[in-house]
Amino acid sequence: MKKLTYLFMAFLLVFLAACSSNETTSKEENETKKEEKKKEQGVEVDKGLLNVELTIPASMFEGENVDTVISEAKAEGIDVTKNEDGSLKYKISKSQHKKMMEEMEKGIKESLEEMVNGEEFVSLQEITYNDSFSEFTVLVDKAAYENSFDGFALLGLGISGMMYQYYNGTNADDVKVKVITKDQETQEVIGEVVYPDALEETETEAE
């Protein structure tokens, strides 16, 4: 079960790496590139009556011995097969998938707590969210927030929300995460960011 949980972090890293690409392409090529990226990097989730199938792209296993990955999964009682394109198909029970999602949910909540109570992002006062992690509201000390780099924390919220939705079976085209930033004292909306749109805009600007 731990191996599947680690795949969440692997996918996050692959996603960030893909979004940092700076190759120069035309607008038409960019659109084609984005579609190919979704197919190559997307986690496919097929929920059956008794089992859930997760298809993890080969790009997630770069630098790893795939045979070892398969052996470790089988040792945990997980049915896994290697596809012709190098991707791995995991077949797990609904209870295993439920446990994985619960662990992912727990991890996200613990990260949010650390953001608010830790020393790294001092302007963040409170973070609330909905059940699907598709919307976050961040209350901040406005003066401290505007004089810091705490806005980088919003990226973490966007990525976490997207990953949760991907692994929960949300269609890739429907995955959206809205992050609203408000001044805690006045409740004034300071900013609103929607992911993955913001990542795609950043990538386009870089190109």
Side-chain angles (χ1 to χ4, degrees):
M1 201 66 241
K2 289 182 180 178
K3 189 64 184 178
L4 286 178
T5 305
Y6 294 155
L7 288 176
F8 163 67
M9 296 305 299
F11 187 61
L12 187 155
L13 293 173
V14 170
F15 195 95
L16 285 176
C19 290
S20 65
S21 171
N22 58 2
E23 294 179 6
T24 303
T25 57
S26 67
K27 183 176 180 181
E28 184 177 321
E29 290 172 329
N30 279 336
E31 291 303 315
T32 302
K33 186 178 175 183
K34 287 174 186 175
E35 288 303 313
E36 291 176 346
K37 207 175 284 183
K38 281 183 180 179
K39 292 178 182 178
E40 178 187 352
Q41 298 170 353
V43 175
E44 295 179 17
V45 181
D46 182 13
K47 295 183 179 180
L49 292 175
L50 300 175
N51 300 300
V52 175
E53 292 185 351
L54 301 173
T55 301
I56 314 296
S59 57
M60 292 184 115
F61 304 104
E62 289 181 8
E64 289 193 57
N65 185 314
V66 176
D67 291 333
T68 300
V69 172
I70 294 173
S71 297
E72 290 178 352
K74 289 185 175 180
E76 294 181 22
I78 298 171
D79 180 13
V80 56
T81 55
K82 184 177 179 179
N83 298 320
E84 290 184 1
D85 61 359
S87 64
L88 298 184
K89 178 178 285 187
Y90 288 80
K91 186 175 183 179
I92 61 178
S93 67
K94 284 204 165 185
S95 62
Q96 284 177 311
H97 183 256
K98 181 181 178 181
K99 183 179 179 182
M100 184 182 74
M101 297 309 300
E102 287 173 348
E103 290 177 354
M104 195 176 291
E105 179 180 348
K106 180 182 177 182
I108 292 174
K109 289 180 178 179
E110 288 176 348
S111 295
L112 300 185
E113 253 183 72
E114 188 175 338
M115 282 183 185
V116 172
N117 299 318
E119 299 179 357
E120 187 173 0
F121 304 110
V122 294
S123 71
L124 306 188
Q125 305 299 306
E126 183 182 351
I127 302 175
T128 56
Y129 44 86
N130 60 5
D131 291 341
S132 62
F133 296 110
S134 61
E135 184 169 314
F136 295 86
T137 300
V138 185
L139 299 183
V140 303
D141 177 322
K142 185 178 180 181
Y145 179 77
E146 292 180 339
N147 289 290
S148 71
F149 293 102
D150 290 0
F152 285 115
L154 306 186
L155 174 62
L157 300 180
I159 295 293
S160 296
M162 287 191 296
M163 296 307 101
Y164 182 86
Q165 292 176 61
Y166 278 127
Y167 276 87
N168 203 32
T170 303
N171 186 290
D173 293 330
D174 297 327
V175 170
K176 296 285 182 183
V177 179
K178 181 189 292 185
V179 182
I180 303 166
T181 310
K182 291 184 178 182
D183 176 19
Q184 184 182 40
E185 185 176 348
T186 66
Q187 294 298 302
E188 169 197 1
V189 175
I190 299 173
E192 183 175 307
V193 184
V194 178
Y195 296 93
D197 299 356
L199 294 175
E200 292 172 357
E201 288 170 7
T202 301
E203 182 181 1
T204 300
E205 290 172 2
E207 293 171 345

